[in-house]
Amino acid sequence: RHGGRLRRNALIAAGNSNDPRLIAPVSECLNDESSLVRQTAAWALGRFESPEAIAALTKQLQDEPDNRVREELATALKTPT
């Protein structure tokens, strides 16, 4: 349980860092078992101006079963950084 919160906090830091080297590891978190982690990964990716981030968000939006995560994915795709 605490692992999900730790990953969430790390994803917030990654999204705020604007470091493009973190796009790939953040994208991998879209496959996490925790919907909170997936939701935060979507938020973080939305902070990057990158075709790689947009592609990861778009792919996950097609496959994501959780409505809250889908909402965050959609928001991340519409939000300019």
Side-chain angles (χ1 to χ4, degrees), residues 18-39:
N18 206 26
D19 183 344
R21 295 173 298 177
L22 298 177
I23 293 171
V26 171
S27 296
E28 290 176 21
C29 292
L30 290 173
N31 297 315
D32 197 273
E33 65 184 32
S34 165
S35 61
L36 177 63
V37 171
R38 294 194 310 275
Q39 189 174 0

Side-chain angles (χ1 to χ4, degrees), residues 51-71:
E52 183 183 1
I54 292 168
L57 290 164
T58 302
K59 180 184 181 308
Q60 187 66 22
L61 185 57
Q62 295 170 3
D63 301 332
E64 178 58 51
D66 186 283
N67 286 335
R68 289 173 297 173
V69 178
R70 290 178 60 79
E71 288 174 14

